[in-house]
PDB file of all heavy atoms in Angstrom:
ATOM      1  N   ASP A 125     -92.654  33.593 244.797  1.00 90.00           N
ATOM      2  CA  ASP A 125     -93.071  32.692 245.805  1.00 90.00           C
ATOM      3  C   ASP A 125     -92.867  31.269 245.309  1.00 90.00           C
ATOM      4  O   ASP A 125     -93.765  30.546 244.740  1.00 90.00           O
ATOM      5  CB  ASP A 125     -94.601  32.901 246.142  1.00 90.00           C
ATOM      6  CG  ASP A 125     -94.991  32.128 247.405  1.00 90.00           C
ATOM      7  OD1 ASP A 125     -94.278  31.168 247.779  1.00 90.00           O
ATOM      8  OD2 ASP A 125     -96.090  32.455 247.965  1.00 90.00           O
ATOM      9  N   LEU A 126     -91.593  30.846 245.418  1.00 93.00           N
ATOM     10  CA  LEU A 126     -91.225  29.558 244.828  1.00 93.00           C
ATOM     11  C   LEU A 126     -91.847  28.399 245.432  1.00 93.00           C
ATOM     12  O   LEU A 126     -92.136  27.351 244.779  1.00 93.00           O
ATOM     13  CB  LEU A 126     -89.646  29.365 244.922  1.00 93.00           C
ATOM     14  CG  LEU A 126     -89.050  28.270 244.090  1.00 93.00           C
ATOM     15  CD1 LEU A 126     -89.276  28.446 242.598  1.00 93.00           C
ATOM     16  CD2 LEU A 126     -87.534  28.157 244.349  1.00 93.00           C
ATOM     17  N   ALA A 127     -92.245  28.521 246.693  1.00 92.00           N
ATOM     18  CA  ALA A 127     -92.955  27.461 247.377  1.00 92.00           C
ATOM     19  C   ALA A 127     -94.323  27.238 246.692  1.00 92.00           C
ATOM     20  O   ALA A 127     -94.782  26.055 246.550  1.00 92.00           O
ATOM     21  CB  ALA A 127     -93.115  27.747 248.887  1.00 92.00           C
ATOM     22  N   LYS A 128     -95.014  28.278 246.430  1.00 90.00           N
ATOM     23  CA  LYS A 128     -96.326  28.182 245.797  1.00 90.00           C
ATOM     24  C   LYS A 128     -96.175  27.606 244.395  1.00 90.00           C
ATOM     25  O   LYS A 128     -96.983  26.768 243.943  1.00 90.00           O
ATOM     26  CB  LYS A 128     -97.056  29.580 245.752  1.00 90.00           C
ATOM     27  CG  LYS A 128     -98.452  29.425 245.178  1.00 90.00           C
ATOM     28  CD  LYS A 128     -99.229  30.732 245.480  1.00 90.00           C
ATOM     29  CE  LYS A 128     -99.660  30.746 246.925  1.00 90.00           C
ATOM     30  NZ  LYS A 128    -100.605  31.842 247.179  1.00 90.00           N
ATOM     31  N   ILE A 129     -95.162  28.046 243.630  1.00 92.00           N
ATOM     32  CA  ILE A 129     -94.965  27.510 242.252  1.00 92.00           C
ATOM     33  C   ILE A 129     -94.648  26.039 242.326  1.00 92.00           C
ATOM     34  O   ILE A 129     -95.174  25.277 241.624  1.00 92.00           O
ATOM     35  CB  ILE A 129     -93.776  28.281 241.635  1.00 92.00           C
ATOM     36  CG1 ILE A 129     -94.165  29.740 241.307  1.00 92.00           C
ATOM     37  CG2 ILE A 129     -93.343  27.594 240.328  1.00 92.00           C
ATOM     38  CD1 ILE A 129     -92.981  30.557 240.828  1.00 92.00           C
ATOM     39  N   ARG A 130     -93.797  25.682 243.328  1.00 94.00           N
ATOM     40  CA  ARG A 130     -93.484  24.263 243.509  1.00 94.00           C
ATOM     41  C   ARG A 130     -94.715  23.391 243.841  1.00 94.00           C
ATOM     42  O   ARG A 130     -94.887  22.294 243.300  1.00 94.00           O
ATOM     43  CB  ARG A 130     -92.435  24.113 244.565  1.00 94.00           C
ATOM     44  CG  ARG A 130     -91.880  22.692 244.776  1.00 94.00           C
ATOM     45  CD  ARG A 130     -90.906  22.639 245.938  1.00 94.00           C
ATOM     46  NE  ARG A 130     -90.357  21.307 246.146  1.00 94.00           N
ATOM     47  CZ  ARG A 130     -90.981  20.334 246.758  1.00 94.00           C
ATOM     48  NH1 ARG A 130     -92.194  20.518 247.312  1.00 94.00           N
ATOM     49  NH2 ARG A 130     -90.419  19.130 246.895  1.00 94.00           N
ATOM     50  N   SER A 131     -95.597  23.916 244.694  1.00 92.00           N
ATOM     51  CA  SER A 131     -96.747  23.150 245.169  1.00 92.00           C
ATOM     52  C   SER A 131     -97.716  22.886 243.968  1.00 92.00           C
ATOM     53  O   SER A 131     -98.444  21.864 243.989  1.00 92.00           O
ATOM     54  CB  SER A 131     -97.484  23.883 246.285  1.00 92.00           C
ATOM     55  OG  SER A 131     -98.095  25.081 245.772  1.00 92.00           O
ATOM     56  N   ARG A 132     -97.671  23.745 242.936  1.00 92.00           N
ATOM     57  CA  ARG A 132     -98.567  23.593 241.796  1.00 92.00           C
ATOM     58  C   ARG A 132     -97.868  22.833 240.606  1.00 92.00           C
ATOM     59  O   ARG A 132     -98.517  22.652 239.591  1.00 92.00           O
ATOM     60  CB  ARG A 132     -99.047  24.942 241.308  1.00 92.00           C
ATOM     61  CG  ARG A 132     -99.862  25.743 242.357  1.00 92.00           C
ATOM     62  CD  ARG A 132    -100.106  27.118 241.876  1.00 92.00           C
ATOM     63  NE  ARG A 132    -100.967  27.891 242.769  1.00 92.00           N
ATOM     64  CZ  ARG A 132    -101.365  29.138 242.590  1.00 92.00           C
ATOM     65  NH1 ARG A 132    -100.837  29.823 241.574  1.00 92.00           N
ATOM     66  NH2 ARG A 132    -102.157  29.750 243.464  1.00 92.00           N
ATOM     67  N   SER A 133     -96.671  22.491 240.792  1.00 93.00           N
ATOM     68  CA  SER A 133     -95.839  21.929 239.662  1.00 93.00           C
ATOM     69  C   SER A 133     -96.027  20.391 239.605  1.00 93.00           C
ATOM     70  O   SER A 133     -96.416  19.733 240.570  1.00 93.00           O
ATOM     71  CB  SER A 133     -94.410  22.266 239.882  1.00 93.00           C
ATOM     72  OG  SER A 133     -94.180  23.632 239.838  1.00 93.00           O
ATOM     73  N   SER A 134     -95.670  19.831 238.473  1.00 94.00           N
ATOM     74  CA  SER A 134     -95.593  18.380 238.261  1.00 94.00           C
ATOM     75  C   SER A 134     -94.457  17.795 239.104  1.00 94.00           C
ATOM     76  O   SER A 134     -93.574  18.530 239.562  1.00 94.00           O
ATOM     77  CB  SER A 134     -95.402  18.083 236.775  1.00 94.00           C
ATOM     78  OG  SER A 134     -94.086  18.511 236.394  1.00 94.00           O
ATOM     79  N   SER A 135     -94.370  16.478 239.222  1.00 94.00           N
ATOM     80  CA  SER A 135     -93.316  15.847 240.029  1.00 94.00           C
ATOM     81  C   SER A 135     -91.986  16.148 239.403  1.00 94.00           C
ATOM     82  O   SER A 135     -90.990  16.352 240.103  1.00 94.00           O
ATOM     83  CB  SER A 135     -93.603  14.393 240.138  1.00 94.00           C
ATOM     84  OG  SER A 135     -93.656  13.767 238.820  1.00 94.00           O
ATOM     85  N   HIS A 136     -91.890  16.176 238.108  1.00 94.00           N
ATOM     86  CA  HIS A 136     -90.655  16.412 237.406  1.00 94.00           C
ATOM     87  C   HIS A 136     -90.194  17.846 237.635  1.00 94.00           C
ATOM     88  O   HIS A 136     -88.997  18.104 237.897  1.00 94.00           O
ATOM     89  CB  HIS A 136     -90.730  16.161 235.898  1.00 94.00           C
ATOM     90  CG  HIS A 136     -91.022  14.759 235.554  1.00 94.00           C
ATOM     91  ND1 HIS A 136     -90.116  13.754 235.826  1.00 94.00           N
ATOM     92  CD2 HIS A 136     -92.027  14.110 234.890  1.00 94.00           C
ATOM     93  CE1 HIS A 136     -90.560  12.581 235.407  1.00 94.00           C
ATOM     94  NE2 HIS A 136     -91.675  12.819 234.822  1.00 94.00           N
ATOM     95  N   MET A 137     -91.115  18.775 237.623  1.00 94.00           N
ATOM     96  CA  MET A 137     -90.784  20.200 237.833  1.00 94.00           C
ATOM     97  C   MET A 137     -90.368  20.368 239.291  1.00 94.00           C
ATOM     98  O   MET A 137     -89.379  21.152 239.591  1.00 94.00           O
ATOM     99  CB  MET A 137     -91.958  21.094 237.530  1.00 94.00           C
ATOM    100  CG  MET A 137     -91.619  22.582 237.520  1.00 94.00           C
ATOM    101  SD  MET A 137     -90.404  23.011 236.294  1.00 94.00           S
ATOM    102  CE  MET A 137     -90.281  24.798 236.573  1.00 94.00           C
ATOM    103  N   LYS A 138     -91.027  19.688 240.229  1.00 95.00           N
ATOM    104  CA  LYS A 138     -90.638  19.776 241.637  1.00 95.00           C
ATOM    105  C   LYS A 138     -89.155  19.330 241.804  1.00 95.00           C
ATOM    106  O   LYS A 138     -88.407  20.004 242.511  1.00 95.00           O
ATOM    107  CB  LYS A 138     -91.521  18.880 242.489  1.00 95.00           C
ATOM    108  CG  LYS A 138     -92.879  19.445 242.796  1.00 95.00           C
ATOM    109  CD  LYS A 138     -93.587  18.578 243.819  1.00 95.00           C
ATOM    110  CE  LYS A 138     -94.907  19.153 244.329  1.00 95.00           C
ATOM    111  NZ  LYS A 138     -95.978  19.118 243.270  1.00 95.00           N
ATOM    112  N   LYS A 139     -88.807  18.265 241.123  1.00 95.00           N
ATOM    113  CA  LYS A 139     -87.409  17.770 241.233  1.00 95.00           C
ATOM    114  C   LYS A 139     -86.438  18.774 240.707  1.00 95.00           C
ATOM    115  O   LYS A 139     -85.317  18.948 241.240  1.00 95.00           O
ATOM    116  CB  LYS A 139     -87.295  16.435 240.475  1.00 95.00           C
ATOM    117  CG  LYS A 139     -88.024  15.250 241.224  1.00 95.00           C
ATOM    118  CD  LYS A 139     -87.890  13.960 240.420  1.00 95.00           C
ATOM    119  CE  LYS A 139     -88.630  12.821 241.153  1.00 95.00           C
ATOM    120  NZ  LYS A 139     -88.551  11.537 240.288  1.00 95.00           N
ATOM    121  N   LEU A 140     -86.821  19.408 239.598  1.00 95.00           N
ATOM    122  CA  LEU A 140     -85.932  20.395 238.979  1.00 95.00           C
ATOM    123  C   LEU A 140     -85.777  21.637 239.890  1.00 95.00           C
ATOM    124  O   LEU A 140     -84.633  22.097 240.051  1.00 95.00           O
ATOM    125  CB  LEU A 140     -86.548  20.859 237.649  1.00 95.00           C
ATOM    126  CG  LEU A 140     -85.644  21.603 236.678  1.00 95.00           C
ATOM    127  CD1 LEU A 140     -84.403  20.760 236.357  1.00 95.00           C
ATOM    128  CD2 LEU A 140     -86.377  22.013 235.438  1.00 95.00           C
ATOM    129  N   ILE A 141     -86.843  22.070 240.536  1.00 95.00           N
ATOM    130  CA  ILE A 141     -86.751  23.199 241.487  1.00 95.00           C
ATOM    131  C   ILE A 141     -85.871  22.808 242.634  1.00 95.00           C
ATOM    132  O   ILE A 141     -84.971  23.564 243.080  1.00 95.00           O
ATOM    133  CB  ILE A 141     -88.141  23.617 241.942  1.00 95.00           C
ATOM    134  CG1 ILE A 141     -88.870  24.281 240.774  1.00 95.00           C
ATOM    135  CG2 ILE A 141     -88.072  24.582 243.139  1.00 95.00           C
ATOM    136  CD1 ILE A 141     -90.386  24.535 241.072  1.00 95.00           C
ATOM    137  N   ASP A 142     -86.105  21.610 243.191  1.00 96.00           N
ATOM    138  CA  ASP A 142     -85.230  21.157 244.358  1.00 96.00           C
ATOM    139  C   ASP A 142     -83.816  21.129 243.959  1.00 96.00           C
ATOM    140  O   ASP A 142     -82.932  21.468 244.726  1.00 96.00           O
ATOM    141  CB  ASP A 142     -85.787  19.789 244.797  1.00 96.00           C
ATOM    142  CG  ASP A 142     -87.181  19.856 245.388  1.00 96.00           C
ATOM    143  OD1 ASP A 142     -87.724  20.951 245.541  1.00 96.00           O
ATOM    144  OD2 ASP A 142     -87.787  18.801 245.626  1.00 96.00           O
TER     145      ASP A 142
END
Side-chain angles (χ1 to χ4, degrees):
D125 190 342
L126 192 60
K128 182 164 285 188
I129 292 173
R130 185 183 182 279
S131 69
R132 296 173 175 175
S133 297
S134 66
S135 58
H136 293 300
M137 188 63 180
K138 282 187 173 73
K139 289 178 181 178
L140 195 59
I141 290 171
D142 296 350

